[in-house]
Amino acid sequence: MMGRCNGCAAWGSLVEENVGGGAAAGRESRALDAAGDPGTRGKALPLHAIPAASAPRIETGVAELDRVLGGGVVPGSVVLLGGEPGVGKSTLALQLAGRVRQGGGAVLYVTGEESVEQVRLRAGRLPEVPGDVLVLSETRIEALAAPWREVAPQLVVLDSIQTLHTDRVESAPGSVAQVRESAALLANTAKAAGTALVLIGHVTKEGVLAGPRVLEHLVDVVLTLEGERSHAYRLLRATKNRFGSTQEVGVFTMEEAGLAGVANPSELFLSERSAATPGSCIVPIVEGTRPMLIEIQALVAPAGYGTARRTAIGIDDGRVALMLAVLDRHTSVDLVSRDVYVNVTGGVRIAEPAADLALALALASSRLDLALPQDAAACGEVGLGGEVRRVGRVDLRVREAARLGFRRILAPAGAEAPHGAEVVRVASVADAVDWLRRNASPQARQSGSNPP
Ligand code: TYD
Ligand code: MG
């Protein structure tokens, strides 16, 4: 018994692990008996003798999911689908199961978390899920061997890996040892049987979990479903993909009938934008290879007593502090003793420095009470000297802004003007603030004008 870890000093973080028996046995025995003998195992082959398996894919028919997977699910591959509770993992997995079933493949949906009735209830809301998707309520992995053999499924979904346990390890379900051993057993089974396997894993806000993180090395694809539960929109990212790029991002909205793909995310994010108001700036961000227009809002107000408050949602606090310091030092915008609130609309999280310029403009716009013109957007990284630096894929960003009707795009040097729009080159934050003063929307406070 040891309460505290000698290594990291964390309390209660030690997990008992049984290193005898199953875990110590070879890889071969760590698969369930669900398939015949794979002939080539254990034999070394010259590269040219290995058949060039252009991984066949099961197209899921969920366009946004196929995009992230790189064209579909590869048979025999293991996909880990992680995300916070309630974000929509079970819904997405069930929709995927439904599509594969529609395509003619047998599907086994194993639920360890919810009852079969609950799964049925959810399936009732999803029009693409046919009635003959097989659902099994089970948490013991060894019990899956028989149905797996009988059904010979093209796809098996396990919801969730944290609820499963194998007899080979004695620790509790959800513990690191259990999750790791269970997943290894299942992954080997899937490989041997040529079944595509989707493991659902919960991730907590801090990203810690006895689950996904410890599994990343033994699965082929790691997908993360992100989004605020209070907002409809969800982002699906691949953080690891042995069969495709990790640059693609899928965008969904959570609807009455499950997750619906969004082909034009910018339009979605701009749809709720109000008329020109001070403190708002549009930035074209890039997620993977997709440009999206996002609104950054800032509110600068006189501080009450004590220290000024700084609150940022959807963007790093450090980034906000940096922009405040830069504005203070390199422009005439006075931000001393002001409360500052920053919000990124739509529940999006911006992690790109390319949003710096838009953030600085939103802050200046609120402080000066000058609204940016409705047809203006901005992107660019801002350095500590107040200089505006180049950003990656600037042409992609500028084109997307132009496509959605933005006619003036503030950007660092290097951006080419797209058809029908003008690129306003700004070398520094001071330039950008000057531009704002000269071009501020005259009816700053009046609403009713149409967004671009
Ligand atoms: P769920 O897939 O159960 O999340 P997870 O498995 O990640 O914990 O879905 C969670 C939320 O999605 C739930 O609050 C209800 C909502 N939802 C919809 O809005 N529409 C739907 O069609 C479905 C099935 C769920
Ligand atoms: Mg669930």
Side-chain angles (χ1 to χ4, degrees):
M1 251 329 272
M2 217 188 291
R4 190 174 196 186
C5 172
N6 287 331
C8 66
W11 290 94
S13 63
L14 296 180
V15 186
E16 182 183 342
E17 197 164 334
N18 186 352
V19 293
R27 244 179 122 71
E28 227 80 6
S29 69
R30 287 175 74 179
L32 300 172
D33 180 25
D37 175 44
T40 53
R41 198 178 280 177
K43 238 183 278 169
L45 292 173
L47 280 172
H48 65 76
I50 301 169
S54 60
R57 309 238 178 196
I58 310 164
E59 267 191 49
T60 68
V62 185
E64 294 294 306
L65 181 59
D66 281 339
R67 171 203 284 271
V68 178
L69 288 168
V73 198
V74 176
S77 74
V78 185
V79 177
L80 175 65
L81 175 59
E84 288 171 26
V87 76
K89 300 179 297 297
S90 302
T91 306
L92 182 62
L94 196 55
Q95 286 179 283
L96 167 63
R99 294 285 186 163
V100 172
R101 182 69 202 113
Q102 279 184 356
V107 170
L108 187 59
Y109 190 102
V110 181
T111 169
E113 204 147 280
E114 296 165 312
S115 65
V116 290
E117 288 81 11
Q118 281 171 308
V119 176
R120 201 216 132 126
L121 216 61
R122 176 178 299 114
R125 297 173 67 170
L126 311 171
E128 65 265 73
V129 182
D132 55 358
V133 166
L134 295 171
V135 182
L136 174 67
S137 172
E138 185 56 69
T139 56
R140 193 175 146 260
I141 289 185
E142 280 73 12
L144 298 178
W148 199 319
R149 246 193 327 262
E150 274 159 34
V151 175
Q154 205 172 39
L155 172 76
V156 172
V157 176
L158 287 149
D159 190 0
S160 66
I161 187 69
Q162 276 104 347
T163 55
L164 293 169
H165 66 93
T166 160
D167 298 341
R168 298 171 185 220
V169 179
E170 276 165 20
S171 39
S175 67
V176 175
Q178 263 300 353
V179 165
R180 201 192 297 141
E181 187 63 20
S182 301
L185 187 57
L186 289 163
N188 289 336
T189 309
K191 290 244 147 54
T195 312
L197 179 66
V198 174
L199 300 174
I200 293 180
H202 295 297
V203 188
T204 61
K205 266 263 189 269
E206 301 76 41
V208 284
L209 67 161
R213 285 292 134 77
V214 303
L215 296 183
E216 276 171 9
H217 68 281
L218 62 86
V219 302
D220 300 303
V221 181
V222 179
L223 300 182
T224 327
L225 191 59
E226 297 172 4
E228 293 294 323
R229 234 181 306 175
S230 47
H231 286 93
Y233 116 101
R234 302 282 181 271
L235 268 191
L236 184 71
R237 272 179 226 280
T239 49
K240 167 180 177 177
N241 192 350
R242 283 187 182 149
F243 311 109
S245 145
T246 52
Q247 289 291 302
E248 291 295 345
V249 177
V251 184
F252 296 91
T253 51
M254 182 58 97
E255 308 284 347
E256 275 303 301
L259 288 159
V262 179
N264 287 307
S266 298
E267 280 148 35
L268 170 75
F269 295 131
L270 294 183
S271 59
E272 286 172 353
R273 193 184 170 208
S274 54
T277 37
S280 155
C281 187
I282 301 294
V283 55
I285 62 164
V286 175
E287 284 284 2
T289 56
R290 287 176 102 173
M292 295 180 211
L293 296 190
I294 307 282
E295 180 184 0
I296 299 182
Q297 298 179 325
L299 183 64
V300 179
Y305 298 100
T307 335
R309 285 184 66 112
R310 262 97 220 243
T311 304
I313 298 168
I315 195 160
D316 181 41
D317 294 333
R319 227 59 226 174
V320 175
L322 214 119
M323 281 315 110
L324 290 171
V326 169
L327 281 170
D328 194 60
R329 181 67 195 265
H330 297 287
T331 71
S332 53
V333 182
D334 171 25
L335 291 154
V336 177
S337 352
R338 300 275 156 175
D339 285 344
V340 173
Y341 304 91
V342 176
N343 179 40
V344 179
T345 59
V348 186
R349 250 209 92 74
I350 297 184
E352 282 194 308
D356 286 353
L357 185 61
L359 172 59
L361 276 169
L363 290 164
S365 159
S366 175
R367 177 64 184 96
L368 302 173
D369 206 18
L370 296 172
L372 272 128
Q374 275 287 89
D375 63 353
C379 69
E381 181 176 347
V382 174
L384 286 180
E387 78 281 13
V388 176
R389 298 169 165 257
R390 287 170 193 254
V391 293
R393 298 178 188 266
V394 69
D395 288 329
L396 189 67
R397 298 172 200 267
V398 168
R399 273 204 306 274
E400 176 73 355
R403 187 177 76 81
L404 282 135
F406 290 86
R407 295 283 154 261
R408 292 177 277 179
I409 302 141
L410 284 81
E416 247 171 71
H419 181 69
E422 176 200 354
V423 170
V424 181
R425 297 208 163 75
V426 285
S428 66
V429 179
D431 277 1
V433 173
D434 284 345
W435 188 89
L436 168 65
R437 287 186 200 273
R438 277 184 275 116
N439 294 276
S441 186
Q443 312 97 344
R445 294 277 177 66
Q446 287 165 28
S447 56
S449 53
N450 288 326

